[in-house]
Amino acid sequence: MLCSEIIQVIEAAYPGDAALGFDNVGLLVGRADKETDKVYLAVDATDAVIDHAIASGAGMLVTHHPLIFSPVKRITGDDFVGRRIMELVRNDISCYAMHTNYDVLRMGRLAGQILELENAQVLDVTMEKDGEPEGIGRVGSLKKEMSLEECCVYVKHKLNLGTLKVFGDMERKVSRLAVSPGSGKSAVDPAVAAGADVLVTGDIGHHEGLDAVARGLSVIDAGHYGTEYIFLDDMKQFFGSRLPGIGTVVEPVIHPFQVI
C-alpha cells in the first residue's frame, strides 16, 4: 500500500485541520508514493526509534510528536534533527506525525475512558465536529469520592505508572477530575473554570503547581509521556481495524526518565 493511501485513512479520522495553530502535523519526511506493508508506531522519533523502525523493515514511521517542530534552516549531521531526517531519507522511511489533531479528536476522550470518568465533557473546546464540541482533555466525575492520596493510587493504577508528582493536600476529598494528557500548564485555567477538584496532566512546574493549589485545584503530574503513551495501543487498534493488511510494530513503552 502507498503511504499516501495510509495517510488518507488516518486523516479521514484525524484531519490535519483539527490541529492547533502552532502545530506541525502530517507527512514531515519522505515520500507519499512510498510502497509499504508495515508501519512503526512511536510517541517520539528518537534515534533509537528510527533504528528500531529500520530494523523492523517498516516503510513508514507514525509518531505522536512531530520530528520537525521549529523551522529547519539546514539539514546536516551536525544537528540531531538533521541526523534523524538524513537517516530516514537514507532508509526510505516516510515519517508522519499526528499530534494535536489526535489530541483534540481522540486523546482526551481516551484518557477519560481509561480513568472511567462519568458524564465526561471536553475540558478545553477548540472546534466542533458534527455539531459536537471537541478539544483538549476531559472533565468528569470519579465513580466515588476519594482522598487525593487515594486518587493518586487510582491514577497510577489506571495509567500503569510507577511514580507521580502531586501538588495539594493528600487528605483533601476529590470527586471531579480533569485530565489533559501531555503538557498541561495551559489546562489549569480550564480545569478551575470547570470546577475540577484535581487535574491529571504532565509538565507542571513549581509555580504552576503552587498557583493551582492556591486556586483550589490539586494537581497530579503523571508526566508528559505517562499521560500520552496511551496513543500507542490505541493507534495499533486503529490500524488493525482500518488497515488490516498493514503490519504494525509498536515501540516498547519506555519512560524517558527515571526517579531514583
Side-chain angles (χ1 to χ4, degrees):
M1 179 176 283
L2 297 177
C3 287
S4 60
E5 295 173 316
I6 296 172
I7 290 169
Q8 286 177 357
V9 173
I10 294 173
E11 294 185 351
Y14 304 108
D17 59 10
L20 303 185
F22 65 83
D23 207 1
N24 188 31
V25 300
L27 183 62
L28 304 184
V29 178
R31 299 187 292 122
D33 61 354
K34 163 74 177 180
E35 186 87 32
T36 187
D37 60 0
K38 188 177 293 184
V39 168
Y40 198 90
L41 288 171
V43 175
D44 297 280
T46 63
D47 295 320
V49 163
I50 293 171
D51 287 343
H52 297 162
I54 294 168
S56 76
M60 186 174 182
L61 170 61
V62 176
T63 66
H64 181 49
H65 295 139
L67 170 61
I68 303 171
F69 199 80
S70 301
V72 177
K73 294 184 177 181
R74 59 181 60 85
I75 299 174
T76 72
D78 297 328
D79 173 80
F80 73 94
V81 174
R83 289 196 303 272
R84 293 172 185 173
I85 293 171
M86 292 167 63
E87 192 69 5
L88 288 165
V89 172
R90 183 181 298 116
N91 289 275
D92 197 16
I93 296 176
S94 298
C95 185
Y96 183 92
M98 43 190 305
H99 189 210
T100 54
N101 50 334
Y102 178 85
D103 288 340
V104 167
L105 296 173
R106 179 58 177 158
M107 186 79 86
R109 180 182 294 107
L110 178 61
Q113 291 170 348
I114 290 171
L115 293 175
E116 299 185 19
L117 297 184
E118 297 181 339
N119 302 314
Q121 300 174 316
V122 178
L123 178 62
D124 187 4
V125 176
T126 62
M127 63 175 289
E128 282 192 1
K129 183 180 180 182
D130 301 327
E132 296 295 324
E134 295 286 1
I136 302 296
R138 287 295 186 274
V139 59
S141 300
L142 292 165
K143 288 189 172 182
K144 65 175 183 178
E145 184 181 74
M146 58 185 75
S147 69
L148 179 58
E149 182 175 8
E150 291 171 330
C151 189
C152 289
V153 174
Y154 178 79
V155 170
K156 283 176 66 176
H157 171 69
K158 289 296 184 180
L159 292 177
N160 194 26
L161 302 175
T163 60
L164 300 170
K165 182 168 70 174
V166 190
F167 294 89
D169 179 356
M170 297 296 275
E171 296 182 2
R172 181 195 180 200
K173 296 297 183 181
V174 298
S175 60
R176 186 164 172 80
L177 182 146
V179 57
S180 184
S183 183
K185 295 177 183 179
S186 63
V188 172
D189 285 348
V192 171
D197 301 312
V198 58
L199 168 65
V200 177
T201 189
D203 292 351
I204 295 294
H206 173 80
H207 296 290
E208 292 85 15
L210 291 180
D211 292 348
V213 171
R215 299 171 68 186
L217 178 70
S218 300
V219 179
I220 297 175
D221 187 333
H224 195 131
Y225 184 90
T227 53
E228 286 195 333
Y229 78 90
I230 56 177
F231 163 85
L232 296 172
D233 186 60
D234 187 58
M235 283 305 297
K236 181 180 180 180
Q237 294 181 45
F238 175 90
F239 277 102
S241 62
R242 307 288 182 95
L243 293 166
I246 295 294
T248 307
V249 183
V250 180
E251 174 73 5
V253 174
I254 300 175
H255 293 267
F257 65 89
Q258 300 178 38
V259 177
I260 298 176

